[in-house]
Amino acid sequence: MFAFGQAKLFDETEIAMLGRAFAKQGRPVALVPLGADIHAGHVALIRAAKRLNRGVVVVVADQPHEAFAAEGVDAVVLSPQLATRTVLDIQGLEPDLAREVTRRIQLVNLVGPSDVFFGEKDFEALVRTQQAVTDLRMNVRVHSVPTVRMPDGLAVSLRNAKVAPEYRSQALALSAALLAGAHAAEGGAERVLEAARAVLDAAGVRPAYVELRSLSLGQAPQEGDARLLIAADFGGVRLIDSAGVPVGVGFRNLEA
């Protein structure tokens, strides 16, 4: 009998055993792929998965973290060495992002979950993963979890933590620009972009891009939900961030 909530460790060779253990007890699997150095954003993914009546399986790049047992994770899988000789051919996708989406699809195939959880921090990877799942007719539901932020607004991530102290105050302009753009949403798409760029310019930040897209990363709607995406380099570290924007509507006009 498999004991749930004990963060039992499985290695790559035991993934099939893991699936059988859950199947015998009638528990679908909620998969939470993580990286290394567990932080608050990862914990948010686990907690979102725990809200489903599923067995929660975490895939981690290094040794298990004490947070897994504390959060009641059912199983922990050490990230398998996945071959990427065949990378998904997604039109317009940069090679690194294509490899990441391919890795995610491989993990889903290996573990066989009914649900899989990703953060909105890497919004493009989230959207491209959902598109790949849809195109491949995979029987898994992709869930997104909002970005977790520090009190100063900077998104919690391993990459953000690498920003040198002398660039940190400048890096805060990313979240400030997103907030400014979102609050200008009632004025339309151009007003959103103008507001975001003004904040970045005032902070002396030269962005790699400031874009407003649809939720599927196509052309932004004239009215409705969109995503504002920003990227910039700080001391050799590229940061990305994004936020939802109600274009042509504005937060004041949203129904309570």
Side-chain angles (χ1 to χ4, degrees):
M1 182 70 71
F2 180 84
F4 289 92
Q6 302 300 310
K8 180 176 174 57
L9 180 64
F10 292 81
D11 63 28
E12 180 179 356
T13 65
E14 298 174 310
I15 292 178
M17 182 191 308
L18 169 64
R20 289 195 297 270
F22 279 71
K24 285 181 179 178
Q25 298 188 50
R27 294 285 293 274
V29 171
L31 175 63
V32 184
L34 303 178
D37 298 328
I38 304 305
H39 54 63
H42 296 146
V43 173
L45 292 173
I46 293 170
R47 291 178 178 176
K50 287 289 291 182
R51 288 194 284 270
L52 296 180
N53 184 26
R54 302 285 189 271
V56 176
V57 176
V58 166
V59 176
V60 63
D62 53 13
Q63 291 302 309
H65 193 277
E66 60 185 12
F68 299 154
E71 295 295 331
V73 166
D74 299 307
V76 179
V77 177
L78 295 180
S79 185
Q81 296 298 314
L82 299 174
T84 54
R85 291 186 299 272
T86 302
V87 178
L88 291 175
D89 182 14
I90 303 175
Q91 186 174 7
L93 215 59
E94 294 181 355
D96 286 348
L97 186 52
R99 280 190 288 271
E100 171 59 20
V101 174
T102 300
R103 188 187 75 86
R104 291 179 173 193
I105 296 301
Q106 288 175 317
L107 284 175
V108 169
N109 276 331
L110 283 170
V111 178
S114 63
D115 301 81
V116 61
F117 288 76
F118 300 108
E120 292 181 1
K121 170 64 180 63
D122 296 319
F123 190 76
E124 185 173 5
L126 168 67
V127 172
R128 299 308 186 193
T129 301
Q130 176 63 78
Q131 291 171 342
V133 164
T134 300
D135 290 347
L136 294 170
R137 308 293 198 273
M138 299 177 72
N139 189 26
V140 60
R141 183 180 179 187
V142 177
H143 299 260
S144 63
V145 177
T147 303
V148 175
R149 298 185 181 276
M150 289 179 272
D152 59 12
L154 196 64
V156 176
S157 77
L158 299 181
R159 181 171 294 184
N160 287 5
K162 295 177 181 179
V163 175
E166 61 266 30
Y167 292 101
R168 185 173 177 82
S169 61
Q170 194 179 38
L172 297 178
L174 292 190
S175 57
L178 292 173
L179 185 61
H183 279 286
E186 190 174 351
E190 286 304 316
R191 185 69 191 94
V192 169
L193 294 171
E194 288 172 3
R197 288 172 180 145
V199 170
L200 296 173
D201 187 60
V205 176
R206 293 186 176 182
Y209 59 77
V210 180
E211 297 180 353
L212 189 66
R213 300 285 192 88
S214 71
L215 297 187
S216 62
L217 298 179
Q219 184 176 353
Q222 292 297 312
E223 182 174 303
D225 290 331
R227 195 81 181 182
L228 178 58
L229 304 104
I230 299 175
D233 293 314
F234 298 93
V237 180
R238 171 162 289 201
L239 301 188
I240 60 173
D241 209 341
S242 68
V245 177
V247 179
V249 179
F251 293 103
R252 291 182 300 174
N253 298 318
L254 293 178
E255 293 184 1

